Each structure stands twice: as C-alpha cells, then as structure tokens.
Amino acid sequence: MIREKARKEAGEEVGTAAGEEVLAVRRETAVRWVTEEWDAPAPARLREQMSAELAPRYAPVEHRRVRAPQPAAEEIVVTWVAYADEVPVATASLRRLPDRHEVKRVFVHAEHRGRGLARAALAAVESTALGLGVDRLWLQTGALQPEARALYAREGWEEVRPYAPYDRNPFSICFTKVLIQPAETPRSR
C-alpha cells in the first residue's frame, strides 16, 4: 500500500490486472503556450468543448439562467492557447471592456487537468494585463463550477458581488484580483 501511494505521488498509475500489479508511468507531454486570435479554430474548439462539458451541469436550471452576451472578437486583447503534441489543450483570454478588463473562458481539456495548466493560463493573462498597465482584473464563473471557484480562490482572486451584465444571472459568481507589478531587482554595478 505504501509503495502504491509513493508511485501515485510520483505520477505513476497503479492498478491490477489478473491479480498482478500493473504499473504505467504517466508521461507529461511538454506544453507550448502561444497567442491566437479569439475566433481562431483552436481556441474556438476548446470553448465549444467547455460549453459541451458544462451544459449537463446547468441543464436542470437552464430556464432560470440569464446569459450575458458573448465577447466580440474586437474586445479580446489576447487569447492564450496551450498545445501538447500540437493538440490544443487549454485556453484563456483577456477581454477589454470600457470600464474593466476581464478574464474569459479559462478551460483545460479533461485529459490534461491536474498539470497546472489552468493556473498557467491565468498567469499568462495576468502577465499580459500587467504589460498593458492593467491593475485589476475581473472574471465571472458559475455557481455549479466548484473547481473553478476553488482555483480562483487559490490564485488570490477575491469573490465579489456579481457585476453587470452577470448580476441578472442567479448562478453567476464573480471575482476580482488586484495585479501587482513585480518588484524590480537592483542592478549590480
């Protein structure tokens, strides 16, 4: 049992087949992050997968949801996409609105979860925002997405009262995060 626990912690999958222990090492494929247009095929496909995955969760309450308008391509400052073996596996975008900047559509394909890709996607968007001089970000998620809410809380996001246009949806949960410029390191002389 201890050996099995250690193997799982090392990223190995342990199981049994016909009474024998089977060991399969889970290989972590290198991930490459790139920026793409909001309406490019890869991020569009990932957003479709996200919608398909979330649809069953919200189906019982769909009649009570008020959907906000989808972002227009011209509102999107940047869309980050992670590729593993040339397959798009994660995405997140930064949206510029007249009164705020929002993180939109953070998603990691199910087969690639648990590798820190959502955290990396948030970091990429936050870094882009900092580079633009943005000092606060906002985002909206849903009440039936506890894993997203937990991620945002872990990453320093503060839950706030839903803001427009999400305040009309009883299942909206909103967050904000103050961005802090990294401290400059003194130059050696």
Side-chain angles (χ1 to χ4, degrees):
M1 188 63 96
I2 293 172
R3 190 172 64 188
E4 181 176 321
K5 182 179 179 193
R7 286 181 172 172
K8 284 183 180 179
E9 289 173 358
E12 299 174 347
E13 295 181 15
V14 179
T16 57
E20 293 183 40
E21 188 175 283
V22 176
L23 175 66
V25 177
R26 185 175 64 194
R27 295 183 310 179
E28 296 295 331
T29 306
V31 173
R32 174 178 60 92
W33 286 93
V34 299
T35 60
E36 297 196 14
E37 296 295 320
W38 168 259
D39 49 7
R45 189 168 43 252
L46 287 165
R47 290 192 306 273
E48 288 170 6
Q49 291 171 0
M50 179 182 187
S51 294
E53 182 177 309
L54 293 176
R57 291 186 194 192
Y58 288 96
V61 295
E62 188 61 36
H63 64 286
R64 295 180 47 213
R65 287 177 74 197
V66 178
R67 292 183 182 259
Q70 291 299 306
E74 56 272 5
E75 295 174 326
I76 302 300
V77 176
V78 66
T79 296
W80 285 97
V81 179
Y83 284 86
D85 290 332
E86 302 307 313
V87 176
V89 297
T91 189
S93 297
L94 176 63
R95 179 187 197 188
R96 179 184 294 128
L97 294 170
D99 61 341
R100 71 176 51 98
H101 283 77
E102 261 187 337
V103 176
K104 296 301 294 179
R105 306 297 277 192
V106 177
F107 178 72
V108 177
H109 188 281
E111 292 176 14
H112 295 272
R113 292 184 186 146
R115 299 177 56 191
L117 295 177
R119 189 171 52 251
L122 281 173
V125 170
E126 290 174 17
S127 177
T128 299
L130 277 168
L132 296 171
V134 174
D135 61 0
R136 180 183 289 270
L137 287 175
W138 302 80
L139 64 78
Q140 179 268 349
T141 190
L144 303 181
Q145 295 165 250
E147 60 285 316
R149 293 173 70 183
L151 167 71
Y152 302 136
R154 276 193 317 271
E155 295 304 307
W157 289 77
E158 177 187 348
E159 190 170 325
V160 294
R161 182 180 202 93
Y163 54 91
Y166 310 111
D167 55 349
R168 296 179 41 223
N169 182 342
F171 300 97
S172 281
I173 305 293
C174 293
F175 288 84
T176 190
K177 183 175 184 178
V178 174
L179 301 180
I180 300 171
Q181 291 285 346
E184 290 188 31
T185 56
R187 293 184 182 168
S188 57
R189 295 182 187 221

